[in-house]
Amino acid sequence: MSTDIGVWIGAIGSLCMLSLLYGDNPFFKVAEHTFVGLGAGYHALLGFTNIQRMAWSPLVRGQGIVFAVPLLLGLLVYARYIPKQKNLVRIPTSMVIAVGAALGIRGAIHGEFTQQIAATMALKLNSLNNLIIVAGFLSVLAYFYFTKVSHPSLAGAQSLISKVGRGVMMISFGALFANSMTTFAVRLIGVFQFLFGQWIHLIT
Amino acid sequence: MAKFIDWLRDIDRRYIYGLVFLSLLLPLVRPFGLPVSVSKLTKAAYDEINRLNQGDIVLYAMDITAASVADDMPSNLAYMQHLMDKGVRVIIVTFRADGMKYTLDILAKWEALGKKYGQDLAHLGFVAGAESGIAAFFSDFRKTAPTDVRGKQTSELPIMKDVNSLKDVKILVASTAGYTPEYVRQGFTAYGKTLIVCASGNHFGTLPPYIQAGQIKGAIGGARGAAEYEVLLKKPGAGAKLMDSQAIGLMSLLLVMLLGNVVYLYDRRRSQGGN
């Protein structure tokens, strides 16, 4: 067995968490609250060191007054606690949203729209794989085409293609779920490796 | 048959947990070495890194989350093994706060094996801001991360000589803990930089559209991808160790799902008046 106190704390915490599978109990509650508290503390510390490293230190070293801007904007977030000045919180909030949206749109239109469509249009229908991609793409698009075609024979075809599209999406969701299952299995294996490897040395 | 179905329906879920636990644990205790085949994507990622020359500099955005470390760590270790074996110089950065510890573990491992900090590899720390942080960092490494994880000036690190933006590195390797679209938008689309990815298994399913469009050149997914990469490296490691356990564990889950569906279909048929 391990003689490291850190490993013991981790192992007991892991067992407390896993105890939820048996049923809700006080050990799980203690571990849950400890975990949330530790997570909050860790992120607060990391945030503090990050501000120190990326804004405060360069500012006091005289690398430019521009480093005061993020500090000022950060302080304005707390303006919500001053009733008469609480509107000031809109400045940093709107900046974060505006910058995020601008950056997202810049890359999204080209990276996730035109490049993707161009790549699908450029596919040669010379392999089963490519045929599935193109047919899947068109049928899923048809599923989200909500206007009904007026001609009865075409309406039938539209309905059929849209059903194929729904099937394609179901297969995709199934594949995503399967991927998630493999990840959760590996995460559990990771816990077992820690408990039976690092803690009680059953696994070499 | 009806008795068996009734028994299945009423089975205590804790027996199912026990079955899954045992099927995951026993292969860990006694591995039997199931063969691992290599996918095209893993080979593509391997080939891209293999094309790099000694001394080339890559940016490694190493986003590992604490929740998925068991899945993320083997693939990151596999990429780092290949990069270090090739003598490629690596600048590490992370955009995920909770994974910082694991990136430092990887750094420490290679320093212990003789790689020189500042010369062969460097860690510029955690950069906050998600996509805004990624975009700012890619455009100016030194301004976004003025100091490294050890408090040294980024501009004074030998590896950073002539390197200050994504344009100056050979390729971008990204361990994307859910940030794949961000790396595609800010790395590939904005700079046209070759992008190699390793993603957790649950995010891996979202990569094909980017791969098919040529935006991601190669990728490995979770521990399974790491095991494949280790086959190519001919160095079985952390990923290979997990494969037996994962395969048997998933087979037990499939069995449970199958039995659950049998019960469901039987009940439905009975409620509709069938036999």
Side-chain angles (χ1 to χ4, degrees):
Chain A
M1 272 200 152
S2 172
T3 51
D4 186 338
I5 186 75
V7 171
W8 272 84
I9 293 170
I12 292 166
S14 302
L15 290 175
C16 289
M17 284 293 192
L18 287 173
S19 70
L20 179 68
L21 295 175
Y22 189 78
D24 202 2
N25 63 78
F27 297 107
F28 169 73
K29 287 284 177 208
V30 169
E32 185 190 28
H33 288 94
T34 309
F35 181 73
V36 171
L38 280 173
Y42 174 76
H43 279 87
L45 180 67
L46 204 67
F48 179 76
T49 49
N50 216 35
I51 292 165
Q52 191 182 34
R53 188 170 71 93
M54 293 171 77
W56 182 254
S57 296
L59 181 69
V60 295
R61 272 200 300 265
Q63 284 177 258
I65 195 72
V66 72
F67 288 99
V69 176
L71 292 174
L72 188 67
L73 287 170
L75 284 173
L76 285 180
V77 172
Y78 296 101
R80 69 172 70 229
Y81 297 113
I82 308 166
K84 284 184 182 171
Q85 307 297 334
K86 65 180 178 187
N87 283 344
L88 287 174
V89 75
R90 291 179 182 175
I91 298 171
T93 310
S94 54
M95 269 201 75
V96 168
I97 293 169
V99 170
L103 281 168
I105 289 167
R106 183 185 73 162
I109 290 171
H110 194 45
E112 295 194 70
F113 196 64
T114 53
Q115 283 178 346
Q116 304 260 332
I117 292 171
T120 308
M121 286 174 75
L123 280 177
K124 287 178 184 162
L125 300 178
N126 56 2
S127 71
L128 183 63
N129 206 24
N130 289 358
L131 276 170
I132 292 171
I133 290 172
V134 173
F137 172 73
L138 293 175
S139 59
V140 171
L141 271 185
Y143 179 79
F144 290 102
Y145 189 77
F146 297 117
T147 310
K148 287 280 174 199
V149 182
S150 55
H151 199 280
S153 60
L154 287 175
Q158 185 193 18
S159 168
L160 181 70
I161 294 168
S162 141
K163 276 181 187 160
V164 172
R166 191 173 63 181
V168 169
M169 281 190 287
M170 297 307 271
I171 292 168
S172 306
F173 298 148
L176 287 172
F177 178 68
N179 273 319
S180 297
M181 291 300 287
T182 60
T183 305
F184 296 138
V186 171
R187 286 177 188 179
L188 194 53
I189 295 167
V191 176
F192 286 162
Q193 279 186 321
F194 172 68
L195 289 175
F196 296 98
Q198 279 181 264
W199 188 39
I200 60 171
H201 300 166
L202 182 69
I203 305 167
T204 50
Chain B
M1 181 67 178
K3 272 188 179 176
F4 176 65
I5 297 287
D6 288 340
W7 177 77
L8 273 180
R9 191 187 305 105
D10 298 334
I11 200 166
D12 191 325
R13 62 188 161 85
R14 282 169 283 205
Y15 287 116
I16 297 170
Y17 295 149
L19 171 74
V20 175
F21 273 33
L22 282 177
S23 58
L24 288 171
L25 181 62
L26 292 179
L28 276 181
V29 179
R30 186 159 292 190
F32 40 86
L34 286 172
V36 176
S37 57
V38 178
S39 70
K40 276 184 190 171
L41 277 177
T42 305
K43 182 73 171 63
Y46 178 86
D47 290 341
E48 282 296 335
I49 291 183
N50 220 29
R51 269 194 281 274
L52 296 169
N53 298 313
Q54 188 176 8
D56 281 347
I57 297 177
V58 304
L59 177 68
Y60 199 140
M62 202 177 274
D63 297 340
I64 302 173
T65 61
S68 64
V69 65
D71 205 28
D72 288 342
M73 202 63 166
S75 45
N76 280 287
L77 287 171
Y79 272 160
M80 277 301 283
Q81 179 79 52
H82 197 190
L83 290 165
M84 293 290 107
D85 286 352
K86 292 278 300 176
V88 173
R89 295 188 292 159
V90 179
I91 299 166
I92 299 169
V93 66
T94 181
F95 300 98
R96 285 273 182 183
D98 54 339
M100 189 69 175
K101 177 210 177 292
Y102 306 107
T103 64
L104 292 174
D105 288 348
I106 290 174
L107 182 71
K109 178 196 166 179
W110 287 105
E111 272 193 280
L113 290 170
K115 293 290 177 181
K116 204 171 169 193
Y117 185 83
Q119 185 72 47
D120 300 316
L121 72 177
H123 193 324
L124 302 188
F126 161 64
V127 174
E131 185 161 9
S132 311
I134 292 171
F137 183 80
F138 285 177
S139 69
D140 196 326
F141 295 173
R142 290 173 201 170
K143 271 191 185 157
T144 318
T147 55
D148 68 358
V149 280
R150 296 178 181 176
K152 290 179 185 166
Q153 288 292 304
T154 301
S155 54
E156 290 168 13
L157 296 168
I159 195 172
M160 298 304 293
K161 185 173 177 273
D162 305 324
V163 174
N164 194 37
S165 81
L166 194 64
K167 276 187 276 185
D168 305 325
V169 301
K170 205 78 178 175
I171 65 168
L172 167 64
V173 182
S175 164
T176 63
Y179 277 162
T180 309
E182 285 82 348
Y183 287 116
V184 169
R185 291 195 289 257
Q186 303 305 332
F188 177 81
T189 307
Y191 294 87
K193 198 54 70 179
T194 299
L195 176 59
I196 304 295
V197 163
C198 60
S200 309
N202 55 335
H203 291 130
F204 194 68
T206 62
L207 300 189
Y210 304 109
I211 294 161
Q212 184 259 328
Q215 294 163 313
I216 295 173
K217 298 290 181 207
I220 57 177
R224 162 75 202 192
E228 292 177 16
Y229 208 90
E230 287 161 8
V231 168
L232 291 170
L233 289 173
K234 297 183 179 69
K235 288 181 179 173
K241 278 182 191 170
L242 301 173
M243 284 306 97
D244 290 350
S245 179
Q246 191 193 39
I248 302 299
L250 290 174
M251 276 164 73
S252 75
L253 282 172
L254 278 176
L255 178 71
V256 170
M257 280 189 221
L258 196 69
L259 290 174
N261 276 285
V262 167
V263 174
Y264 167 74
L265 290 172
Y266 180 85
D267 284 350
R268 195 170 74 166
R269 201 172 159 190
R270 200 161 58 174
S271 69
Q272 286 169 352
N275 294 317

